[in-house]
Amino acid sequence: MTMTTDNAAARHAWEVNAAAWDERMGTAGNDFVNVLVWPRTQRLLDVRPGERVLDIACGNGLYALRLAGLGARVTAFDFSAPLIDYARAHAAGYSGRIALRVLDATDGDALLALGEGQYDAAMSNMALFDMADIGPLAGAVARLLRPGGRFVFSVMHPCFNGLHVTHLTESADDGRQWTTRYSLKLSRYLTPFTQEGIAIRGQPEPQPYFHRPLSVLLAPFLAAGLALDALEEAAFPPDHEPGKTTSWGGNYSEFPPVLIARLRKTATDDADFTD
Ligand SMILES: C[S@@+](CC[C@H](N)C(=O)[O-])C[C@H]1O[C@@H](n2cnc3c(N)ncnc32)[C@H](O)[C@@H]1O
C-alpha cells in the first residue's frame, strides 16, 4: 500500500518522538490516563479473563499491560517501530499474554490479516485523531470483532480539546471581590483540518493532528455496521490540580477534554439469514 503524505508525516513524527513519549508516559501514565481514560475504558470494555482484545495504536504498550493484567490475551499494534520496541521491553514479564506488531491502521488488508471474527473486544486510546485516515480501521474493526464484540475508543473531545481551542483565564471585579473565570474559545469546529501540534512538551518534533467533528469521527464506524451504545465525556474534578504537562485541571471541570465511546458489532450477522 502507498502511504499518503499525511500518514508518512505522522509515522515519522511518532518514530522520532518515541523516546520522549516513553520517558514521559512510562507504564504509569499521566493524569489523562489514570483519571480520565483508563477507569472509564476499563468499565466500558468489561474485559473477562481469557478474552482476546486488540489494542489499536498501542504506543509504548501501557494499556496493553493493564489489559493483560485483567487476564486478557492482547494483540497490540502501532505503526511506530520504536514505540513497539518500548512496548516489547515493558511487556517482557507478560510472556504469552501480549503479542505486539508494527502495523499501520490505515492499511485495511494488514488489519484484516490480524484475524476476522477473532476478537472479543478492541480498544484504541487517544489515537484516532493521530490517524490520517480512519476509514480502513472502521471497516476492519467491524470484521475483526466477533458478533456482539465491543470497540471502545477514547479521543481528545473534538468539541473542547484540540488545536482549535484556546484556554482563557480572565479576572474581574464582580462588585465584592476579584474573581477568576476559566473558559474556552473555539475558532472552528465543523470542518476537518490537519495541523501540527505537540503531544508532550519537549518532544523533538511536532506531529500532525487530524481534527474531525463528532459526526465525521463516528460516521465510518456507524457505516461499517457498528452501533454506538455508550458515550462518556470525562472532565477533571473541580479540586484537580493542573498537571505539569497540561493546563487542563479542575478549573475547567465544566469542559470534558476526553470523549469515550463504545460501539458494538450487533450479534445478528449475515449468517443468521442464510438457510
Ligand atoms: C497519543 S499516542 C497514544 C498511544 C497509546 N494508545 C496510549 O494511549 O498510550 C497515539 C498513537 O497512535 C499511533 N498511530 C497514529 N497513527 C497510526 C496508524 N496509522 N497506525 C498505527 N498507529 C498509529 C502513534 O504511533 C501513537 O503511538
Side-chain angles (χ1 to χ4, degrees), residues 4-60:
T4 65
T5 314
D6 276 351
N7 196 37
R11 190 171 72 174
H12 170 76
W14 281 104
E15 287 170 352
V16 299
N17 293 327
W21 177 266
D22 184 67
E23 192 186 333
R24 180 61 52 79
M25 301 300 278
T27 55
N30 61 6
D31 284 356
F32 267 72
V33 172
N34 297 313
V35 178
L36 301 183
V37 176
W38 177 240
R40 290 168 178 84
T41 299
Q42 186 177 352
R43 178 167 40 77
L44 292 178
L45 263 183
D46 193 19
V47 167
R48 282 158 234 150
E51 284 193 320
R52 286 199 70 184
V53 184
L54 192 60
D55 182 357
I56 296 161
C58 64
N60 74 347

Side-chain angles (χ1 to χ4, degrees), residues 88-188:
R88 284 212 170 92
H90 295 312
Y94 291 76
S95 63
R97 284 185 283 158
I98 304 177
L100 290 154
R101 309 241 184 291
V102 177
L103 195 150
D104 181 355
T106 69
D107 183 342
D109 292 339
L111 288 168
L112 290 181
L114 291 167
E116 292 194 46
Q118 297 296 307
Y119 296 90
D120 300 291
M123 172 186 87
S124 183
N125 284 321
M126 305 301 272
L128 296 183
F129 48 77
D130 289 304
M131 292 180 191
D133 183 2
I134 56 172
L137 177 68
V141 165
R143 292 170 64 176
L144 292 168
L145 288 174
R146 65 165 179 73
R150 61 272 185 212
F151 171 48
V152 174
F153 72 78
S154 58
V155 286
M156 296 195 301
H157 197 310
C159 305
F160 304 113
N161 193 5
L163 296 166
H164 57 309
V165 179
T166 305
H167 288 204
L168 297 180
T169 306
E170 297 163 299
S171 298
D173 180 351
D174 71 0
R176 276 177 300 206
Q177 60 186 347
W178 278 81
T179 56
T180 305
R181 190 169 51 202
Y182 298 90
S183 55
L184 302 180
K185 186 176 80 175
L186 271 69
S187 53
R188 50 182 163 166

